[in-house]
Structures are given as structure tokens and as C-alpha cells.
Amino acid sequence: MANTKFIKSEFFFEEDVRESVAEVPVDKHQPWPENEKLKVVGKEIPRIDGYDKTSGTALYTFDINLPHMAHAKILRSVWPHARIKSIDTTQAENLPGVLAVITHKNIPEIKWFEDSFLFDTKIRYEGEEIAGIAAETEEIAEKALKLIKIEVEELDFTVDPGQAMKETAPKIHEGGNIVGGNPFTYERGNFEEGIKNADAIIEETYSTQVVVHNPTEPHCSVANWDGDKLTVWDSTQAIFTVRGVVSRALNIPENNVRVIKKYMGGGFGSKLAGGKYTVIAALLAKKTGRPVRLTLDRREMNLAVGNRPDSVQSLKLGAKKDGTLTAMSHYAYGSSGAYQSGAGCSWPFRTVYQCPNVKVEEYTVYINAGPGRPFRAPGHVQGTFAMDSAIDLLAGRINMDPLEFRLKNYAEKDQVYNIPYTSKKLREAYEAGAKAIGWEKRNKQPGVGTGRYKTGIGMGTQIWWGGGGPPAYVTLKLNRDYSVEVLAGSQDLGTGTYTFVAQVASEVLEIPMERISVILGDTGVVPYGPPSGGSVTSPSISPAVRDAAEQMKQKLMKAAAAVLSLKENDLVYKNGTVSSKSDPSKSIFLSDIMGKINEPVLVTTGAREANPEGYMIQTFGAQFADVEVDTLTGKVRVKKIVAAHDIGRVLNRTLLENQFHGGIIQGIGFALMEERIIDGNTGKVLTTNLHDYKLPLITDMPEIEVIIVSEGDPMISNTGVKGIGEPAHIPTAAAIANAIFNATGVQIKSTPMTPDKVLMALSQNS
Amino acid sequence: MKNFKYIPAESLEKASQKKDDSVLMAGGTDLLGMIKDDLLTPETVINLKSLKELKNIRYNAGKGLEIGALATITELAENSDVQKRFPVLVQTCKEIASPQLRNVGTVGGNLCQRPRCWYYRGEFNCLRKGGDTCFAVDGENKFHCVVGGGPCYIVHPSDLAVSLLALDASLEIFSNGKLKTVPIDDFFILPEQNETKENILEPGEIVTKIIVPEIPAGSKCAFIKFKERASWDFAVVSLGILLNTNGSTIKNGRIVFGGVAPRPWIDTALNTKLTGAATDEKNLKSLADSALLEAEPMSKNDYKIILVRNLLKQALIDLSKN
Amino acid sequence: MKSKDISRRKFIKNLGGGVIGAGVVLSHKPLKAEDQPAKDENKQNLARLNLTVNGKKVSLDIEPQTTLAQMLREKLKLTGTKVVCNHGECGACTVLLDGRPVYSCHMLALDAEGKEVITIEGLMEGEKLQPIQEAFVKHDGLQCGFCTPGQIMAAQGILNKNPRPDRLEIMEGMSGNICRCAAYPKILESAIAAAEKAE
Ligand SMILES: Cc1cc2nc3c(=O)[nH]c(=O)nc-3n(C[C@H](O)[C@H](O)[C@H](O)COP(=O)(O)OP(=O)(O)OC[C@H]3O[C@@H](n4cnc5c(N)ncnc54)[C@H](O)[C@@H]3O)c2cc1C
Ligand code: SF4
Ligand code: FES
Ligand code: FES
């Protein structure tokens, strides 16, 4: 690696600010010019894994078939809250074809979550792991599950966060049901003063539902031991996290664990954590002496591998007649599930709009249900729905155009840390988006339309970190035949990591895409890279690729200087050939350089440089929705979404659009149809299949227009890239909600805004 | 899935002499789900598809349409006679499930499919499974019935049932070695009659065909299905309507509701008001508002009543226009 | 309209308690140990299946409850066909049966007796992608790719029926395939492009 230093660096991952000391390159490369000037980066290039994925040859963890492989299943609790008194596995063990059964009784105690274990005798949610079984086939393992006899003491349960917060509620953990014991609080200025100065005040409560990631490929692992070396194929967004979890759980050194993930069928945050199933597969593989595959089914996916916490948010906002926000308060609670996760959703509220007096108090509450996990912009989707709904209501109170209201309260600086942004082009996004949707066509008076179908236009604002940061490394191998392999400690979730890594290398080295291959997702071969979440992958990895490639170029120039006996500063690199500026007849192709120096493969390692100190990096954007509400049925059809965002540099327009489409349509799912429903009387989840848990279909998609107002953010890195996966998803629901408001004059204050809610709200209004 | 033996039905007789631990399967799109979820644990599955003669779709001018129970929903929708003379059935078929399921699921199976109540399909030992509780009563009953319920509150999931009842179809049933014909209205039952099944079929009885009379000349027909998702979703509510108007009044007609009751529902009071009713908008509106007067919604589904009335109003107005 | 006033019954009673087999505590007919066929009994219960898969005649003995998807993935190792819901609710397992798209997870393999099955692997000509597959690559009709084989087979099914489908037909034909990544706009674009190319 080139010259490096260690620096303190701050970066945001999902909802957390992470301060780390990281090794970063000393020399920064000149930031790239605007996209038009680049040859490969920013272009519409088909993804390089397209062949594998359309031919059926792409091997997912789900498809791994090792010789002599056994199949495992997990016994999960049918009770929401219980204490196990006894487990009898005799019958299961005696079933022909069963190879091994593990429970808390016959494995070492493995700590998990805050005060629990891999197999805990206290059950805190329906779907919690009780035992694992390996058998010759998955079917036999499933049958054996039913033969395990369990005696439990059932405990009172609570599945509603509002109820769980009360003193009288059944306790899920010793310390009570409020995660951390206290709310998160934040305050700036003086809220009460601010309210006094307001001409208009609104006070409303909004709520959002629990939604479940439901990636198509189930969570699954294949574990195979060779002596004390363990190889795990895992459908994961975070190979190094899984390696750490497995090594700690099994108490073996990390070098003995190799985690591989080539392709995965989606994650959306649900595959950011090391899973119990992975460790169970490894334990069963050890016990049976055979490779073991453990795949969750759709029901398990809907019970036990994460969700977006719900929220109840009470907002109070005040503004002057001229639109100036004077005070904002946010009181919220949401369910963590049975173990610690984050239900906080106030970040946008604290920082999107300029306001001197802000107060926040939010609670994350344990309930007897599957624990939450980050889900595509955790907190922000819920928070933005409530915040932007309230903003439109307040703007209406003072008869101000909601867009004008937002511009009036435009924040030039980050208000929480009181530091400037590296760049902020939200104003441009507002302008471009409003123009594209035809903002002037919106109802000046909400709900004025007549007839069965009422149309309306609404908007929402997005903020999200997405700047990435160190540590992130890339190894680049240049072969003498003018081909390249790039190894990155990252993973491709379907977001296009393989492709943009190749593009960046191709851009710098001027080697065609076809001659570049990319290797990701194998802890045994790739250098460290961050988990693929928080929209950090492209902003963290792309600068490291560029660094590695630039170093390779430097190396070739140095070698060429020696080979040609010329001064380095007299040389230029073009398309793999180094030539003399002063005497163009003197030139040498990289294959010849490498031949001369007798190096069949040249290697460099690149690193992500530090983020600038004293600046806040954020992505910004606005989405505009044009909807049609059927007043006879309450059904909302989203006709069009315009997404206008500032997300730094575009690496690949095609992949970018696809990401936006996904984020927006998932936003429609959140806004209009998806919901995990728990039966309050039994504490059991009712929506455990893909018919009761409704995901959007091709027939639910609107027309989508994606506008990018940024050309790159040179302050943050040598590629100027910010993430897009999460920004794309954040403001959709808010924009739809406000469009419904604009169409009907009625605000729907809880998601999903299903026809029954809309219809009842309309009928109560008329 | 549980192991079972899979045997072809050699004949109607043989198939109908099935034992308690065997089940009849047509396309299997519903049955396999039941077996996968342990709602059924058969030793033997009898494949009705081997009875090729039950696949025929035949139209006889004057007599009407005969649909073999084993015809797939796609076959029904693609039949040229059906397309020409019973477009409402084509319309209904297109609303059912997804293209792939329609390629496999049969018309008979669609009528005999089991309910979709999420307690029933889940791990709840409810009344319909022989338990002693209906979990929907004070549970999550947004999609349950508003009329005809008690002690169980399902809605019948079949879309074809709604259209076929509007068309006054009959079912031919093989029973005890003989064929009998039953009006479709008598085929479906309410939970108060028997809370563990949705129709009159006794074990071993087989639906062989569906007989649809000609649509009376001058009548218009429509199937309207409302679902939460744009496609591939069970009906929240649906309407099957047959209407014969002469300019300013309704000569006769029939209105059937789906998604509101444990069986396709004929609101008798409403239907008796049809003949002679004026077709001006105001009257049609008040007609629609008189639908489901006897409904007793559950805690989370009163919206269904508004929904039905709104959709009915619109449908009556549309159908009364020329 | 009044709400039904039905007294709440004892729910918890019906959730079981005491000594129970946890996996089936709430379903009405628990599998008992005696129900479990011994291994050799399984053998007796094998059935012979003859069909054509991707142009090749296949003949094998399978347990009757084997789904078509299980047979393809586990017996023939054709893992291009994915299983996402295993309940006929998502479309990932779509294959062509005598040219028409069906959910292979939700039908018995034995029901394919004598028929022709085409999977994503069967579209290929050696290592070469077919036009429909090329369209999905060119128009980026995918993200994670897990639903993609099913999407492509559904699209091929539409083209088999009508080589020149319009946009609405394509939308309808593709409505039985969930893409959680929601690459729908580009899936549609891919299918339209393939339809425009088809002769
Ligand atoms: C995801 C999904 C979505 C669906 N959406 C809809 C929808 O929107 N609208 C709708 O109407 N339906 C819907 N369905 C139901 C689907 O249409 C039915 O599953 C299908 O029509 C049943 O046909 P089959 O031939 O597969 O029946 P099978 O599964 O073979 O049989 C169903 C039941 O009927 C019995 N049976 C079948 N044929 C006969 C016969 N001839 N005589 C006596 N008994 C018989 C069987 O014993 C079994 O109990 C959906 C199903 C699924 C899985
Ligand atoms: S509505 Fe019927 S099927 Fe559903 S829980 Fe009640 S009794 Fe069971
Ligand atoms: S896996 Fe077959 S339809 Fe979902
Ligand atoms: S591409 Fe990921 S589910 Fe469709």
C-alpha cells in the first residue's frame, strides 16, 4: 500500500454515528471531473453479472450442494412468551434419517443478544430458536421437529409497544421494557418559547406499521468443516460480521472461519447481522461430521430475521405567518421486538428543516415479537412520513404552498452538529422535481376535485448520510496479458457492486470492462470492507478501487521509467501503454513492462481516504407523487413518482435507476399495503406468507422519473460518490401521503394507507 | 410435505369410494397448500385429472354452457364460446389468482377451495378445524364477513362462485354412484349449518360439471372485484350482477356479493327490490344504499359495507346505461 | 350498523400448554411418531415419473409428494429454478409446462408425467443466452437476480402464447411474479424489448 496514516474518522452506518480510527492514504488523488468527461464511470453499462443471473448459473447460498450434505431445520417457539421446563428429543432422534439434534442441553452455552443465549430457556417471541436438527433430507428434519416434546410455562405477553411501556406490562427483560431504560432525548433552543412565538400550531399523532424485509432468497447457510477449519457459505450483507459472530460463538480464531457469499437474493438490512442459523448449521455440521445446509422458510423469514419497527409519533409544530418554523417537538415510541434494536426515527426531524427550537423524546420498547433490524433507511422512512405530513398540515394552516414552506425553512447547515455540509443541492432537487411533476397542477385547495377519482400531488424530503468512509480496502491484480482482477471486501446484494468496481478500475487503467473481473464476498481472499448497509458500499469502495488502480498506474510508470531509462515525469499512460512525452516514439505496453521486470502479476492495495474533518456528509432529495384516489373504494393508485436527488456522482445510470425504482416501489409497499399483523389475543403473527403479507407487484408500479442534480461531491472522496440505496426509499411514503391529502383534503395518519382506512376517513369527512 | 400415496382416479365410482384418510385433488393449487401447512394429513391423494372427460367445455345453443369441473381456469377463459357468450366468466377468470395458478387450478377446485382466514391457515385450532374458538371474533377480522357469520366468520374465497351464482348456474355432482344436479345457490352453506365445511359435499362426492344457462337476451352481466393490490389478491369484496333493463326500469336481475359472507351472498331484500325499480341515478343510489341492511360488521370490517354499496351504486349506473 | 357483541372466549386454552409437540401444538392433526414411515417404507412408496426436461427424456423414481421444483432442484440439480415461498405466492419457481408457465413449487412432479418441462437452463443454447435472456441483461431487468429465472420464464410464457403481446398483456402475464428488489420498470422494459424482437 502507498503511504498511509491513521486518523480519527466519523461515519454513519445505518442509524449510528461511528467514530473510528482508520488507516487512510496520505495522498489524495485529484477528484474526478464531471461525469461527461469520464469514459466508463457514469455510463449506462449492463451489469457484469447479468449473464450469470439470467442463465440460471448464478450460484446462491440457497443453491450450494456439497457432496454428502445434510439438511437442517430449526425448531421455533409457537409461544410469544414462555419458560421451557423440559425438552424431550428422544422421538426425534429415533426418526430414521435424523443425524443430530441440538438444544440448550447438549451444546456449550453461547451468549446471544443482550442477556440471552443461542438456545435460551426463556422464550421471548414466537419464532425464537429452541433446537436444531440435521437429517438426511430437509423433509425428514421437518418431520423430526414435530416430534420434539416441550413442556413450558406460558407467560403473559405483550405485543403492543404502547401497552408494553406501562409499568404493569409483562416484563420481557429484567430491566423492564424500555430499551436502555431511558428514552433518547435531544433538545436545542427553547421549545416552549418557540411555540409562544408561533402564529399557527399543529399537534398530531402519526403511526407506522411493522414491515418485514422479505428478501427473495431466504436467510440460509451452508457449513462445512475440514478439521478445525470452517467454511460457511452465507446469504449475508456482511461477510466479516458473520465471520466474527461465528468465531466468537464457537470460540475459534477468525482465520479458521472462511465466509463466502458470491450472489445473494436481496437483504435490505435483514442480512446485516450474523444469524443464529449460521451458528446452528456450524454446530450441526461439527456434530454430524458432514456439510450442513440450513435454509429458513418464508414463515421463519416473517417471524425471526428482522423487521422495520413500528412507530407512534406525536408531533407539535409551530410557525409564523410567513412560514418560519419556530418550534418542533417529537415524542415517539416504537417496538424493538424481543431484543435490542433501534426504533428511533427522529433524525430527519432534528435536521431537515431549519428550526431553532427542537425537542425530541423517543422510546424503543421491547415487545414479544421478532427483533427489529435495520431496514432500508431505518427510522428515516417512518420519521419522514410523520414529519412531512405534519409540515403539509402546518403549511395549509397558514395557506402557504408546501414547497414554498420547505424552501422558507431550508437548512444551510447541519443543525445537530452545527457544521456545514460538504455539499447540498436540495434546492436544485426541489426545483427540478417540482418542474417534472407539474407542481403547479396540484390542487390549490386540498380535495377540491370532484368525481369518483380525485387526483393530487404531494412531496417529501429526504436526508440520509450515505457518505461512507474508511476502513475499506481493495486489492488489484494486473495480469501480464492486460487483464485485471479486483478483490474487494464487499458484497453485491443486487445493487451492482461487481459492475461499478470494474467500471472504476476500467476508467483509471483504461482497460476494457471485458478484461476486468471482480471478486467479492470471500473473507478468505478479499481485503476488509464494510458491511453492505447504510448506503456505504459505493462511497466507501469506489475510492479504494480508484486508489488501487491509480497506484497500479504509478507502478507501471515507475517500472517503465526504469525499463526505458527515462524520467518518470516525462511519461504518460494511455490505454495500457506508457510513452515518453518528449519522444513519443519511445513507448512500451504494460505486458512488455511486466515481462521486463519479470512480474506475471502486479498487485496494489487501495484504501478509502478519510472524510473531511468538520463537515457533515449527507445525501439529499425530494420525491413528488401524483396519485389518484378512488373515492368509492378508498384505493390509492400512484400514477407517477418523480425522484430528484443530490447523491454525489452517478457511477452507472442504469444501475442507479434500478436502485431508485426499487426504493420507490418498496416505498409504495410501505405506504399502501405491507404490514405485519400480530393477533393481540395470542401474540402470534398472522401475516407469515406472501399472500397475507402483501408485496407490490408489477401492476402496482407507477411511472418513475429519476433526476440527479449532482455531479459528484469532490470534498468527500476521490470519486465523489454518495450512496443511493436508502435515499431512494425514504421520502416515497411521505410524498404519497401528502398527495392523498392534496387529492382528498383528508390526511391519513397511519400507514399502510389501505383502502379501508382511506374509505373510512373519506366517509367520516363527508 | 407429508408422505402420501398418489393414485389416479380410475373412474368416478372408484374415486368416490375413497377412505377417510384420502383426499381428492384436482389442480392441487389449494390442496397442496393445505397439506404443506399440516391442515390435512392424507395417506392417499386421488388425482381427479385422470378423468379426462371432466375437462370438457361444451356450449349448446339454447341450453347453455357445460364446464367440466376439471377444466382449468385458463381453459375456461380461452374457450371461444365462453369468450363470445359469457364474457363475464372470462372477466372473472382474469381476476383469479395469477396466470400461473390459472394454468393449473381448475374450475371445480376453485368452487371447492377452502377458506383463507388467516387463523384457519395458521397454527390456530379454531372452530373450523374442530376447536372451540373463533379467533376472528375479537381478533384481526378486517377481511372477515359482515353478514351470514356465526359461529365462524370466514368469507368464501372463490371468485367464480360469485359470477356463477349471478348466472344461476347448477352443479352436477357424482354422489353414491349417481349424478345429481344442484343449483349453485344450494351448494354453498353457512357456518350455522356446519362450521367445518363450506358446501354440501359429503366425503366422496365429486363435482363433475358446472351448467350455466344462457344469459337471457337483453341482460347485461358484470363481475367487479375489489382487492387491495392491483392484481393477484383475493377479493376484499366482489359483485356479480345480471341486469335486464328497459330504458327507465329494471325488468329483472340478480345481485351477488363476494367477500362479505361465508358463501357467495344473495341479499334477498335487495334482490326483490330490483324488478320494476327505476334506473335514474337517485333511485339506483338508494337501491344500493339498501344493500346489506342486515349486516353486522365485526370490529374491523365495517368499511366493507360502504365499499359494497359504493361499488354497487356505480355498477348499477354503468349497467343501466346503454 | 352495530358491532357484534360476542364475549371473548378463552384463547389461551386453545394455544395449548402442558406437554406438547411444539411444532404442531396449534394445528389440529398432529403427526404422531407412528405416522412416520420407516426408511424402507419410503422406498416402497416411490413412483416412477417419465417426462421431458429441457429437451431430454428423464425417467426417475420419486416420492409422490415431491414437488416439481424439488425434483428439478434436488434430483436433477437444476438450481436455476428458485423457491421463495413454496406456496404458489411469488412466482420465483416458474417453469414452462408444455409451453405454459406454472409454479413448480406448487404442483406435484408426478403431474408433469409425459409432459415437457422447460427451465431457465433449458432456454440456453449451450452457453448462449436466448433473446429473452439477452433482453433482461441489456435492459437490466433484475437486481439481486433471485426472482429472475421465474420472471424470464413468465415472460417466455407470454411470448409462447402471443409473440406480439401489448404492454397490458405483458403486465398481466407478469403479475404472478414478485420481485422484492422491485426491478419492475426494467423487467417490463426487458419483456417489451423481447416482444418487439420476437418474430
Ligand atoms: C396464492 C393464491 C391466490 C389465489 N387467489 C385466488 C383468487 O383471487 N380468487 C379465487 O377465486 N381463487 C384464488 N385462489 C384459489 C385458486 O383459484 C384455487 O386454488 C384453484 O382454483 C383451485 O383449483 P385446483 O384445481 O387447484 O383445486 P385443488 O387444490 O385440487 O382442490 C381444492 C379443493 O377442492 C376439492 N376438489 C377439487 N376438485 C373437486 C371436484 N371436482 N369435486 C369435489 N371436490 C373437489 C379438493 O379436494 C380440495 O379440497 C388462489 C390460490 C392461491 C394459491
Ligand atoms: S373465522 Fe372461521 S376459520 Fe377463521 S378463526 Fe373463526 S372459526 Fe376459524
Ligand atoms: S416459490 Fe413457487 S410460487 Fe413462490
Ligand atoms: S431481482 Fe431481487 S427479487 Fe427480483
Side-chain angles (χ1 to χ4, degrees), chain A residues 395-442:
Chain A
R397 280 299 148 77
I398 56 168
N399 287 319
M400 194 164 180
D401 176 301
L403 176 55
E404 203 186 319
F405 187 94
R406 285 173 171 83
L407 285 166
K408 175 91 195 170
N409 297 289
Y410 195 84
E412 299 288 354
K413 266 176 135 187
D414 177 85
Q415 299 175 82
V416 175
Y417 292 87
N418 198 26
I419 47 176
Y421 294 115
T422 54
S423 66
K424 175 170 180 174
K425 297 208 163 105
L426 182 58
R427 198 172 265 124
E428 290 84 337
Y430 280 153
E431 237 163 63
K435 184 155 172 251
I437 201 80
W439 183 251
E440 70 289 346
K441 287 187 312 220
R442 64 192 294 282

Side-chain angles (χ1 to χ4, degrees), chain A residues 276-346:
Chain A
K276 282 189 179 179
Y277 54 93
T278 309
V279 172
I280 292 170
L283 287 168
L284 287 168
K286 186 105 212 174
K287 201 153 180 188
T288 56
R290 291 169 60 170
V292 165
R293 177 163 84 204
L294 200 166
T295 303
L296 271 58
D297 65 21
R298 194 49 50 183
R299 182 179 160 72
E300 295 175 280
M301 300 279 296
N302 277 282
L303 291 177
V305 286
N307 55 65
R308 180 190 298 281
D310 51 9
S311 73
V312 175
Q313 306 173 52
S314 298
L315 273 52
K316 188 168 177 184
L317 272 61
K320 295 234 185 241
K321 277 200 212 90
D322 70 352
T324 311
L325 274 167
T326 60
M328 299 169 78
S329 81
H330 184 266
Y331 168 92
Y333 59 87
S335 55
S336 178
Y339 298 99
Q340 198 165 327
S341 71
C345 57
S346 68

Side-chain angles (χ1 to χ4, degrees), chain A residues 339-415:
Chain A
Y339 298 99
Q340 198 165 327
S341 71
C345 57
S346 68
W347 177 263
F349 193 83
R350 281 176 267 154
T351 180
V352 169
Y353 300 114
Q354 180 70 40
C355 180
N357 307 304
V358 177
K359 202 170 77 175
V360 166
E361 178 178 340
E362 47 185 0
Y363 297 80
T364 298
V365 185
Y366 291 118
I367 61 167
N368 291 110
R373 278 191 191 167
F375 187 165
R376 207 166 190 165
H380 282 49
V381 176
Q382 308 89 293
T384 303
F385 164 74
M387 170 187 75
D388 267 340
S389 293
I391 290 284
D392 269 37
L393 207 58
L394 184 55
R397 280 299 148 77
I398 56 168
N399 287 319
M400 194 164 180
D401 176 301
L403 176 55
E404 203 186 319
F405 187 94
R406 285 173 171 83
L407 285 166
K408 175 91 195 170
N409 297 289
Y410 195 84
E412 299 288 354
K413 266 176 135 187
D414 177 85
Q415 299 175 82

Side-chain angles (χ1 to χ4, degrees), chain B residues 57-309:
Chain B
I57 300 174
R58 224 177 280 121
Y59 171 74
N60 279 319
K63 282 196 182 149
L65 184 69
E66 287 186 7
I67 310 164
L70 271 289
T72 64
I73 294 166
T74 302
E75 284 161 354
L76 179 62
E78 289 181 356
N79 182 285
S80 57
D81 287 317
V82 177
Q83 289 181 345
K84 225 184 300 162
R85 306 187 190 263
F86 299 90
V88 66
L89 289 180
V90 178
Q91 200 184 342
T92 311
C93 289
K94 282 195 170 168
E95 289 277 359
I96 295 174
S98 69
Q100 289 94 325
L101 286 166
R102 299 197 286 270
N103 283 339
V104 175
T106 65
V107 174
N110 187 270
L111 297 177
C112 299
Q113 62 175 302
R114 306 304 313 273
R116 287 277 155 179
C117 166
W118 41 30
Y119 296 100
Y120 176 70
R121 295 274 170 166
E123 295 172 326
F124 299 84
N125 190 20
C126 76
L127 283 174
R128 193 160 287 273
K129 287 190 261 188
D132 61 8
T133 304
C134 172
F135 291 81
V137 169
D138 60 359
E140 292 298 331
N141 49 34
K142 171 180 168 187
F143 294 116
H144 286 76
C145 71
V146 293
V147 68
C152 158
Y153 294 85
I154 57 155
V155 293
H156 199 280
S158 166
D159 289 328
L160 271 174
V162 174
S163 298
L164 288 170
L165 180 52
L167 294 176
D168 202 17
S170 307
L171 304 187
E172 186 187 85
I173 296 169
F174 185 83
S175 168
N176 292 321
K178 292 193 297 274
L179 290 170
K180 64 175 180 186
T181 306
V182 177
I184 194 167
D185 195 16
D186 297 341
F187 180 70
F188 294 107
I189 61 171
L190 287 177
E192 61 193 27
Q193 276 164 272
N194 185 336
E195 68 218 26
T196 63
K197 58 183 199 173
E198 298 80 51
N199 56 50
I200 56 169
L201 288 184
E202 294 294 335
E205 288 189 327
I206 299 170
V207 178
T208 52
K209 61 171 83 138
I210 296 94
I211 304 152
V212 191
E214 291 276 18
I215 296 179
S219 290
K220 289 191 204 162
C221 228
F223 175 74
I224 293 146
K225 173 170 171 178
F226 180 73
K227 42 203 184 316
E228 281 197 352
R229 240 180 0 193
S231 53
W232 198 10
D233 210 353
F234 284 94
V236 175
V237 304
S238 67
L239 319 178
I241 308 182
L242 181 81
L243 205 68
N244 190 352
T245 57
N246 65 355
S248 57
T249 52
I250 297 175
K251 283 209 284 198
N252 51 51
R254 178 184 286 113
I255 297 170
V256 181
F257 298 138
V260 301
R263 50 158 290 162
W265 188 254
I266 295 191
D267 180 335
T268 323
L270 172 73
N271 274 282
T272 47
K273 282 185 221 156
L274 286 180
T275 304
T279 56
D280 59 291
E281 216 172 298
K282 197 165 156 243
N283 191 51
L284 292 178
K285 187 177 177 320
S286 77
L287 201 60
D289 282 336
S290 74
L292 294 179
L293 284 179
E294 84 255 63
E296 293 180 53
M298 304 175 80
S299 52
K300 300 189 175 180
N301 66 8
D302 47 355
Y303 74 98
K304 281 194 177 186
I305 296 170
I306 304 176
L307 195 51
V308 162
R309 290 176 185 164

Side-chain angles (χ1 to χ4, degrees), chain A residues 216 265-266, chain C residues 142-148 151 178-183 187:
Chain A
T216 42
Chain C
L142 55 98
Q143 286 181 33
C144 76
F146 206 71
C147 73
T148 310
Q151 303 280 0
I178 288 175
C179 176
R180 181 43 153 167
C181 298
I187 290 172

Side-chain angles (χ1 to χ4, degrees), chain A residues 493-683:
Chain A
L493 323 181
T495 43
T497 314
Y498 283 112
T499 308
F500 84 69
V501 167
Q503 279 179 277
V504 173
S506 170
E507 181 74 44
V508 177
L509 292 172
E510 302 169 58
I511 292 178
M513 288 285 286
E514 307 79 65
R515 297 191 75 83
I516 298 176
S517 47
V518 179
I519 295 150
L520 306 172
D522 183 344
T523 60
V525 296
V526 297
Y528 179 79
S532 295
S535 301
V536 304
T537 302
S538 58
S540 300
I541 299 289
S542 66
V545 181
R546 184 168 172 217
D547 183 35
E550 297 283 2
Q551 286 182 48
M552 185 59 77
K553 220 155 89 175
Q554 296 301 322
K555 199 186 278 260
L556 286 169
M557 308 261 275
K558 268 192 208 154
V563 172
L564 298 176
S565 308
L566 289 168
K567 287 231 165 62
E568 240 185 283
N569 60 11
D570 180 38
L571 297 177
V572 282
Y573 176 99
K574 186 141 190 58
N575 299 332
T577 299
V578 181
S579 36
S580 158
K581 281 187 250 179
S582 50
D583 179 0
S585 72
K586 284 189 182 151
S587 75
I588 183 165
F589 187 57
L590 64 84
S591 301
D592 300 322
I593 303 174
M594 290 171 74
K596 280 277 187 329
I597 60 172
N598 203 14
E599 292 257 19
V601 183
L602 284 175
V603 182
T604 55
T605 298
R608 167 64 154 87
E609 68 262 48
N611 286 328
E613 269 172 73
Y615 286 90
M616 176 59 89
I617 308 173
Q618 298 270 314
T619 58
F620 301 94
Q623 287 183 12
F624 295 78
D626 184 353
V627 309
E628 174 187 276
V629 181
D630 182 347
T631 55
L632 291 189
T633 64
K635 183 153 173 73
V636 176
R637 186 170 72 88
V638 182
K639 295 197 296 183
K640 182 170 181 176
I641 298 276
V642 171
H645 294 252
D646 163 11
I647 45 79
R649 176 182 306 282
V650 176
L651 286 168
N652 182 325
R653 176 75 200 187
T654 309
L655 301 183
L656 170 113
E657 271 178 17
N658 213 331
Q659 276 293 299
F660 268 97
H661 294 163
I664 288 165
I665 295 169
Q666 284 185 358
I668 291 176
F670 173 86
L672 301 179
M673 58 190 89
E674 294 178 35
E675 182 173 18
R676 181 194 74 184
I677 297 173
I678 300 188
D679 178 58
N681 295 318
T682 58

Side-chain angles (χ1 to χ4, degrees), chain C residues 82-93 103 105:
Chain C
K82 307 300 182 205
V83 175
V84 166
C85 71
N86 198 31
H87 271 70
E89 296 168 349
C90 78
C93 62
Y103 296 146
C105 80

